[in-house]
Amino acid sequence: MPSQNSAYVSDTAPGRGALRAARSWLHSDAPSRSLNGHWRFRLSPTVPAAADFAAEDFDDSDWDSIPVPSHWVLQGDGAYGRPIYTNVQYPFPIDPPHVPDENPTGDYRRHFDMPADWSGSERVVLRFDGVESLFRLWVNGEEIGSASGSRLAHEFDVTPSVRPGDNVIAVRVHQWSAASYLEDQDQWWLPGIFRDVTLIARPAGGLEDVWLRAGYEKGHGRVETEITADAAAFPVTLRLPELGIEQVWATPDDVAAFDVDAVEPWSAEQPRLYDVTVSSAAESIDLRVGFRTVEIRGDQFLVNGRRVVFHGMNRHETHPERGRVFDEEHAREDLARMKRFNVNAIRTSHYPPHPRLLDLADELGFWVVLECDLETHGFDKVEWTGNPSDDPAWREAYLDRIQRTVERDKNHPSVVIWSLGNEAGTGGNLAAMAAWVHARDAERPVHYEGDHTGEYTDVYSRMYSSVLETEQIGTDGSRAPLMNCTPAQGARQRTKPFLLCEYAHAMGNGPGALDQYEALVHEHPRLHGGFVWEWRDHGILTTTPDGTPYYAYGGDFGEVVHDGNFVMDGMLLSDDVPTPSLHEYKAVVQPVRFAFDGDASEVAITNLRHSADTSDLRFCWRVEHDGTPVDSGDMEVPVVAAGESARVPLPRIPVAHDAETWLTVDAVLAADTAWASAGHVIATAQLDRSARRPAPGVRSRTDWRHSDGTLALGIAEFVDGSLVRLAGRAVAGPRLELFRAPTDNDEAASDQVEESDAAVAGVSQAALWRRDGLDRLTTRRVSVERTADALRTVSKVSAANSGSSVTVETVWSIEGDELELRVEIEPSRGWQTVWPRIGIRFDLPDGTAPVDRAEWFGLGPLESYPDSLRAARTGRFSSTLRDLSVDYARPQETGHRSQVRELALSSAHTEVLRIATVPDTRGRRPGFTLGRHTPQQIARAQHPFELPDSTTSHLIVDAAQHGLGSRACGPDVWPEFALRPESRTIRLRITAGR
């Protein structure tokens, strides 16, 4: 027979005892006291047999102290256990609703003082805003009740148990419970009391709940009011001072909707809020109301009558030191950063955030898809057998979770869609949740991606559908089958607005092809954009035994099962540094589009915003010759309404005949905002006005003769045909480099390769590269020849146990006062997969000082790849060697700059080499990567601290690189950007530093 304790944690009921009904999280003047702070704490490896710790006179003097809110596994440097990361897996046996006896249980105690004047309160309420996972509550030795739903708010009526003066609160928190089966949400498992604890005095005649639904239509507003209060609370007064409104309702029956003339609407672009107070004689509640109307009309999702396009992020609450503990200052900056990168929407994956976050979303302006605290993804392991989503025994828990989600946050104008949860299969309990929401809130639609056939949801949603599939979803009349749908079900889904609730998996270096998804949104109105997975990495700051700090991921804490670095999949690194992919995203979704006419006399400016015109923007231009500014100014642009365009004359562009001429146009903020300063760039575009110049031809030589390969050519010195010095500095190379340290997308063995003709389902590209030996190439010198001013070598490059090879012809020659290097690369037949790169590598030993800085004219300033170029612009840039790369949590390919024209390398502030590239016969220019480790060294490291000490800088000049794709969780590299084995030419002109 199971013990009483094991039966308790296996209870599927959402709560017991004096647990109160869900209500809004309101700003009230009712007396309250925060119980945040240091509590006494004891951790047990299993559920203790007794609850004697709850007694008032229990001696906890030998217990530890722990902050509340916090996660106990992030306190005490491992003294209380360690975090566990899983994506899909459950870290306990799949035996619902049971959990193991090895169930870490934290007991908390603290004293609190209740003011004497609270004795007259009608109720005293104890509120917990977040506890993982199941907790029991005692006050002054009396058991009050229990609750589960880790990211949900729970209030307990403790009136009979509290007294003026000193009181004792005791809480027992179980890491695992039946509720854990509903919370498998691709994140760290982090137990503890991690959100606020508050003691509240509810006054007699107070307002239990208020819901103001403020609609908008053609300049007018309508407020539908719901007040939950006893009759004794009336009269109740609503005041909206800015609009001169005062509504007094004498009785509950008098409460009614009222109309408002001449209001400004709320939107994510113009988040206009009005301060409202709702008061009784005993209590006053402050709200910030935004007038907006949400509706679905046909296959269009509309706010205030206009179609919404979600340029969104999936946002977990995560911090490298605090975990999910909320910090308002950090959250505000996080949301401001989203705004600066043109993000306009948030999906609260996969639970309600701290309630203050939604206040910030209202204020700063975001469309929010608010998601319930629900995911049962681990049941995929057992083919969804026993999944709670279709088991009546779990229905009460499912309904409780959606009710607490909706009731807490129903007043927020930013919340425009309710989501039932994520990756929990499908079934009757989810349908019941949807039915409850539809009955409770008729305005906001219901979302749930797992309802593939659209039985109970209002929008069609998918995650990681390919570009072609997404296009077919948006195409009128298409009969292409939809996933898990019959033709009739597919036809029904095509009558709804479509959302990509997850796409563009931002893991490591990537994703690629963001612009392809964005283009579809503007071609097919049914497609309403989507939400990138995800906003930030979830690394936990920790140290190696020698004290080296790093950001840990799954497996770094000795977990029995884990999902590795899959938790490092954000556009923001764990330390708040934006990745190049976030800059790419900003450029792809920029809300102003520029289109230049053929003769560069005009530019068409299109405002892609939802509702805001361009009166908040200033338009600037500048002209550069080979990256050097020569002219600039402001453009006279009329105010362009949302969805409209205007044609504007361009300035006269001075074109140079001996330099590239580039015009850059920026749309910038004209004034400071709450999230960015004046001058912040919102959108940008470039126009190439360069006079075309032919590339110098290759000089023909016929007087080649055999040579031992030991000679000097200008600044280059060779021994046995191999370069040994350049400009007096030791240099080795060039050696053929076909390998790159695999990105997370390269390492993914996904089956989603339907749009790729260069991938194998279930086998990663990285595995194919290793199979073919691209990481372990060997060279056989075939010939060495020279003339009076040139050296030619021919080599055959291949790998052990491979019959495929590459022939590399290298020609060094003196061309005027420059040294030219021309490398011809020709693969044999028989290569069966894409290549990661086609490049040549130079090794630059440190000597007296390392090569530590690069200046270049080409694309920049950040790294760029064939399917991730929109954020790159042509210009002149400089960077330290350290800043050329990105500190991805798992070391991988990083730092490639595309289409370089000129490159200067420096050492200790002294320029040592200058390299100019010559385009090939198709006009293509190479890119470069400069770093302290070879691709092979990087590929062997799982964390940055595992990279070896280096005494050499490595320069790789790439004729081409393979694309990035999104295969870590999504489509592979698009065929256009897949690098197939092919012949390429690299031509460089090299001089000593100036």
Side-chain angles (χ1 to χ4, degrees), residues 82-105:
R82 289 294 194 180
I84 299 169
Y85 167 63
T86 62
N87 169 28
V88 177
Q89 304 179 81
Y90 283 118
F92 45 80
I94 305 172
D95 181 25
H98 308 292
V99 294
D101 293 338
E102 295 83 8
N103 187 358
T105 297

Side-chain angles (χ1 to χ4, degrees), residues 726-859:
L726 263 177
R729 189 180 183 98
V731 177
R735 58 164 288 171
L736 179 69
E737 189 63 84
L738 301 180
F739 186 66
R740 72 183 184 194
T743 67
D744 290 307
N745 290 311
D746 294 337
E747 291 282 15
S750 168
D751 291 331
Q752 193 170 349
V753 297
E754 62 270 21
E755 292 175 10
S756 173
D757 57 0
V760 178
V763 181
S764 73
Q765 297 287 15
L768 297 175
W769 298 338
R770 294 185 181 103
R771 178 202 68 186
D772 290 350
L774 300 188
D775 58 336
R776 49 183 173 83
L777 297 175
T778 61
T779 300
R780 178 174 64 84
R781 182 66 51 78
V782 175
S783 64
V784 180
E785 299 174 300
R786 65 166 297 178
T787 67
D789 59 359
L791 172 69
R792 179 172 69 183
T793 64
V794 177
S795 300
K796 186 174 183 180
V797 181
S798 55
N801 198 36
S802 173
S804 300
S805 63
V806 180
T807 299
V808 180
E809 180 187 33
T810 301
V811 178
W812 294 89
S813 61
I814 299 297
E815 306 293 342
D817 58 357
E818 294 181 314
L819 176 69
E820 178 171 300
L821 167 64
R822 177 169 55 87
V823 182
E824 302 284 355
I825 301 165
E826 183 176 352
S828 68
R829 295 176 179 269
W831 292 96
Q832 296 179 350
T833 185
V834 296
W835 282 350
R837 69 177 353 132
I838 303 175
I840 54 175
R841 191 180 94 203
F842 296 89
D843 299 329
L844 310 168
D846 290 349
T848 57
V851 170
D852 57 8
R853 188 171 189 85
E855 299 182 24
W856 72 98
F857 174 42
L859 290 188

Side-chain angles (χ1 to χ4, degrees), residues 616 669 671-678:
D616 62 326
L669 289 178
D672 292 348
T673 69
W675 45 270
S677 300

Side-chain angles (χ1 to χ4, degrees), residues 843-903:
D843 299 329
L844 310 168
D846 290 349
T848 57
V851 170
D852 57 8
R853 188 171 189 85
E855 299 182 24
W856 72 98
F857 174 42
L859 290 188
L862 302 177
E863 65 183 28
S864 55
Y865 292 83
D867 52 355
S868 184
L869 285 170
R870 293 285 288 275
R873 60 182 175 85
T874 301
R876 196 168 289 277
F877 308 99
S878 66
S879 173
T880 64
L881 180 147
R882 175 69 185 80
D883 290 339
L884 284 169
S885 60
V886 178
D887 278 335
Y888 297 113
R890 185 188 68 80
Q892 56 195 274
E893 163 66 29
T894 177
H896 178 75
R897 267 68 178 178
S898 305
Q899 299 177 28
V900 65
R901 282 80 159 165
E902 299 171 9
L903 172 64

Side-chain angles (χ1 to χ4, degrees), residues 166-187:
D166 184 60
N167 295 262
V168 178
I169 179 175
V171 181
R172 173 162 285 173
V173 180
H174 307 283
Q175 176 160 14
W176 310 123
S177 69
S180 302
Y181 285 99
L182 307 185
E183 296 176 2
D184 188 29
Q185 289 141 319
D186 189 7
Q187 60 181 343

